[in-house]
Amino acid sequence: MATQDSANTTSSSFIKNRRSSLIAAIFLMATSAIGPGFITQTATFTATMGASFAFGILASIIIDYVVQQSIWRVITVTNMRASDIANKAIPGSGYLLAVLVIFGGLVFNVGNIAGAGLGLNAMVGLDPKWGGILSALLAIYIFSSRKASNFIDRMIIVLGIVMILLTVFVMFASNPPVGEALRQTVLPDAINFATITTIVGGTVGGYICYAGAHRLLDKGTTGIENIDAVSSAATKGILVVGLMRYILFLAILGVVASGVTLDISSHAANPASQAFQHAAGLTGLRIFGLILWAAALTSVIGAAYTSMSFITVFKNGVTERQRNIATIIFIAISLAIYMVMGTAPAALLVFAGGFNGLILPIGMTLFIFVAWRRQDLMNGYKYPAWLLWSGILVCALTWYMGIMSVGAIFNYLNIA
């Protein structure tokens, strides 16, 4: 009887720990995606495209789903980090992937710190530079804590829920044309590949698609026995991000449809801030500040954590403490770059998503190759045919969109 009770306790503890790991992975992926770039991109494209941007959101969700399912599934089954998988599949490719992801994460993190500064400026009127400095120092403090891992998990869940609830409030306040938005979700008046590439990059591009999967590795939730739970978590992560983007789109669309023109081109442009303020006055501005700051802080943590999870490919046996130190250095470098560069924060935030969208096809190609031709790495797991073929299609599509939009994406940095 005692043995049975012990077994039940062990089983209950395993289920609880796995559930905790999956929830943490979902929100790490989601809050990494829902950063200041995500918010600024959504506001900028809603202002320029209006209701037809809804189709871009739908297309991005479909692409995001296939990308996330493919990458999380392969990492879970192989029980290896993305760069190690790539090196096993094609020797040397893991180093290339690691360099691209770390560089893309650095670009994104500079934008995240800029976004944190904009958030505190909108929330309490603090100078954006000082806001960026204080937010980066807070992130460094979090990673220097002995209980950093558990604190990060709890904080990103709370801040993620707060962001969604506050955005829903502003959406109702702006009274958007929901019927027109729904029509153009499937029958758009215009399609823009650079827009889709940019928001895909801001949702699962660069480091973001690996964030949750690497978190699961660190928590020990891997192997074929966990594939169904991991697949479900990947789907939920994309749904959380898709829901947030659509709610944010509707909130801003309501303002744009009312005839308000948002400034998206000046050096000090902050289109999302303007939209929230038009929708709900000073309260809306303060709410925007809190949302943007929360999104930025969680994205600084997600970008730094995931980017530094790739350094193990260059040196075996890296401990968690050493990775935390590297993460702190990564954040400090991001802060230093932010302090010296002169690019407008809004332009940088839009460019960051586009740049990571250009990185995405490279990683996706490597993972599709593993699923298709390297069954020896999959520990006997039979990869679903529907996911393989949809992955091949999405991989080809991301290459095409990237090639078609690379010029437009780099032109985002030329916004005066």
Side-chain angles (χ1 to χ4, degrees):
M1 190 67 175
T3 303
Q4 181 66 38
D5 289 342
S6 177
N8 289 338
T9 301
T10 301
S11 176
S12 175
S13 176
F14 169 77
I15 293 171
K16 182 179 178 181
N17 288 336
R18 188 176 75 169
R19 185 187 302 118
S20 175
S21 298
L22 292 170
I23 292 172
I26 289 169
F27 275 89
L28 180 64
M29 177 266 149
T31 54
S32 292
I34 305 171
F38 175 102
I39 293 170
T40 305
Q41 293 156 20
T42 303
T44 301
F45 295 139
T46 304
T48 55
M49 299 182 67
S52 62
F53 179 51
F55 175 79
I57 295 174
L58 176 63
S60 73
I61 291 172
I62 295 170
I63 294 170
D64 296 346
Y65 171 79
V66 175
V67 170
Q68 196 85 324
Q69 285 288 345
S70 301
I71 290 175
W72 281 36
R73 192 174 295 246
V74 172
I75 288 176
T76 299
V77 171
T78 59
N79 197 22
M80 291 187 287
R81 297 188 186 280
S83 49
D84 294 325
I85 296 170
N87 268 344
K88 291 280 187 181
I90 303 175
S93 63
Y95 301 116
L96 172 64
L97 181 63
V99 168
L100 288 173
V101 168
I102 291 171
F103 181 71
L106 184 65
V107 172
F108 230 122
N109 229 26
V110 174
N112 290 334
I113 293 172
L118 291 174
L120 285 178
N121 176 258
M123 187 163 51
V124 297
L126 186 66
D127 180 271
K129 287 287 186 183
W130 281 109
I133 292 171
L134 291 176
S135 300
L137 291 177
L138 176 58
I140 288 173
Y141 171 76
I142 289 170
F143 276 104
S144 65
S145 168
R146 291 181 179 274
K147 298 182 178 179
S149 180
N150 290 334
F151 183 74
I152 289 169
D153 288 346
R154 290 170 186 158
M155 186 189 70
I156 61 177
I157 292 171
V158 172
L159 291 180
I161 293 171
V162 167
M163 284 190 284
I164 293 173
L165 292 178
L166 289 176
T167 308
V168 168
F169 168 76
V170 176
M171 179 193 72
F172 280 109
S174 75
N175 191 28
V178 177
E180 178 66 9
L182 290 175
R183 181 187 73 80
Q184 296 218 45
T185 300
V186 292
L187 295 171
D189 291 342
I191 298 175
N192 186 312
F193 283 127
T195 296
I196 297 173
T197 300
T198 297
I199 63 174
V200 166
T203 307
V204 293
Y207 71 92
I208 299 171
C209 54
Y210 309 108
H214 280 191
R215 190 63 175 162
L216 289 174
L217 276 182
D218 287 342
K219 294 284 187 177
T221 307
T222 56
I224 297 173
E225 66 275 13
N226 286 310
I227 197 66
D228 289 340
V230 169
S231 176
S232 176
T235 300
K236 289 171 183 173
I238 290 300
L239 289 177
V240 169
V241 175
L243 176 66
M244 178 65 176
R245 188 173 307 263
Y246 207 83
I247 292 170
L248 180 61
F249 156 71
L250 288 175
I252 296 166
L253 181 64
V255 173
V256 173
S258 70
V260 173
T261 300
L262 302 180
D263 174 18
I264 62 170
S265 60
S266 73
H267 182 81
N270 194 341
S273 171
Q274 300 163 48
F276 275 56
Q277 189 167 8
H278 279 291
L282 186 60
T283 300
L285 179 64
R286 301 296 181 237
I287 288 174
F288 165 77
L290 177 57
I291 292 172
L292 186 65
W293 179 79
L297 183 63
T298 53
S299 290
V300 167
I301 291 168
Y305 166 82
T306 310
S307 296
M308 290 300 94
S309 72
F310 277 80
I311 65 171
T312 55
V313 74
F314 301 108
K315 184 178 184 298
N316 291 326
V318 176
T319 65
E320 184 176 356
R321 181 176 179 276
Q322 290 171 329
R323 256 196 14 232
N324 282 346
I325 292 172
T327 304
I328 289 170
I329 295 171
F330 183 84
I331 296 172
I333 293 172
S334 304
L335 175 60
I337 294 172
Y338 165 65
M339 293 299 296
V340 300
M341 73 182 306
T343 304
L348 179 64
L349 291 170
V350 175
F351 168 75
F355 182 81
N356 279 278
L358 297 177
I359 295 175
L360 176 62
I362 298 172
M364 189 65 179
T365 300
L366 290 168
F367 275 77
I368 291 299
F369 175 73
V370 170
W372 182 31
R373 303 295 296 174
R374 294 301 304 270
Q375 289 297 308
D376 56 309
L377 300 177
M378 302 286 283
N379 295 316
Y381 177 71
K382 184 172 176 57
Y383 200 81
W386 69 268
L387 186 56
L388 176 62
W389 287 107
S390 59
I392 292 172
L393 179 63
V394 164
C395 186
L397 182 62
T398 56
W399 275 110
Y400 174 75
M401 291 194 305
I403 292 169
M404 293 296 291
S405 59
V406 61
I409 286 169
F410 276 89
N411 281 339
Y412 291 143
L413 285 177
N414 295 328
I415 295 176

